[in-house]
Amino acid sequence: MTNVMITGVYGLIAGSTYNHLVREPDRYAVCGLARRRQPSDRVPADEVISVPDDRFVLSDLSDLKQVTEAVSGMDVVVHMAADPSGQGGWESVLQSNVIGAYNLFEGCRLAGVERVVFASSIQVSAGYRREEAYERFRSGAADDVHVVTHLDPVRPLNLYASSKIWGEALARVYADVHKMSCLCIRIGWVVGDDKLPQPGAGDIWCSRRDIVQLIQRCVDAPDDVRFDVFYGMSNNERCWVDVKHARDVVGYEPVDGG
Amino acid sequence: MEVRVMVTGVYGLIAGAVYRYLDGQPERFTAFGCARREAPSVRAPTDASFILPEDRYFRADLADYDSVRKAVDGMDVVVQMAAEPDEGAPFEKILNSNLIGAYHVFEACRDAGVKRVVYASSVMASWGCLQDEPYKAIYECRFGDVPSDYHRVTHLDPPRPTEPYSASKVWGEALARTYSDVHGMSCLCVRIGWVNAEDSPYKPELLSTWCSLRDISHLVEQCVAAPDDLRFDIFYGVSDNDYRWVDTDHAKKVVGFAPVDGGKVKLNDPNKGTQGQAQ
């Protein structure tokens, strides 16, 4: 039995993950944390979750002591609470993604949590996507391009993406120095109705069931997976980021594709 | 025409050296400095004569956006050195100086139309490499265990921060990339090695990452004066040390970095892996 805490549990991806894991009560005891007890606007009506009171913590991650108490007793924390786009501006990114991520990792260290699965974003690599070579590849004008991997330099284009790089840097710190297992997922474009968000975005799409599968594989990964970064994409055509690494390390097998 | 350069955190050890280096070439640079207080840092050598002229000094606290915005107004280049320099500092300090402060500087420079930011990052962004061989052997001064040829860590390798301090430098580099790609600013990051007030590689475990004050001043100058079409890059700022494990060829090639100093290791018996010592 694995005790799993999902932060930001009323978000789109976090809620799908919650619903998936609670269906296996013999394997997971799932708790949720959020700063309000209501679903995000992005969540479709049929995916609204119901977290029992004794499995729910109300917190905005601004207070380290509160976070530490919330995660104590957990084996794995799936950290999805964040400003999901950066559209809330600098203050929102600062509070939720910069300070919130630090409090989360530090709270997990203090509480002895063994693993953090950190929700990063494809946006940390977004700069590649608009380069000419990648535009040509995506449009079909070229068939070859260097597939960007987790080992390539990051290419953020906004504060939100930079805040995810901060979170990945913390993941590295807590894995290397504090010996926690920290796995980062650079999540692609996930939408509530699971349809392609717009024409031409199929390259970075990820269906909800694929991202939930990858999160679950990270929760279940062998203890000796200490740090890694995976791209969370469906099996898309014209995909310019690497998903083979996630297959090799945690057995990710996407079933959808854009 | 002289380049107007603002050095932030100017009363710090490295920033003070950089300011004087640039100020010593008035035909090329007009150097300015800002700091949150008008006093040398505890790390800086005691030198009462180093007080900036009033017309070159701005009081600015990185936590206060408006004061930063005023300080960078009209500058061609800003050398962002104001930061919490202690890697063991509590998160609160890292947050205010290095995370929020770095954002304020990049944002103020964008708003003010500053063309280039030279961002003081740190070799500690790669410090986690010291957990792995052969870098671990170098750090532990087991020089006999170090192969003659090994990969020197480059700016293209993934960062390996080891505490919130070095993670904050990764954050600053991410901002540099963002402001360069999106806002058209030239942003050059220097991962500065171990610089000390004694200007000497006296600690054997740190010798390989030592950087003399004149070498780091020279590299920052090369970044300030780099061609306009250099839009983004990351350079390691370390002297030409024995067992240097980070790459400086890239800085040599791109901005003509030519270090003149270097820490030397005296080996007692390399074949037996005995401890070396700094000279």
Side-chain angles (χ1 to χ4, degrees), chain B residues 143-160:
Chain B
F143 298 115
D145 295 342
V146 182
S148 55
D149 193 23
Y150 55 91
H151 171 72
R152 288 191 169 77
V153 176
T154 82
H155 61 294
L156 299 175
D157 290 313
R160 295 286 301 269

Side-chain angles (χ1 to χ4, degrees), chain B residues 221 265 278:
Chain B
E221 177 201 16
V265 171

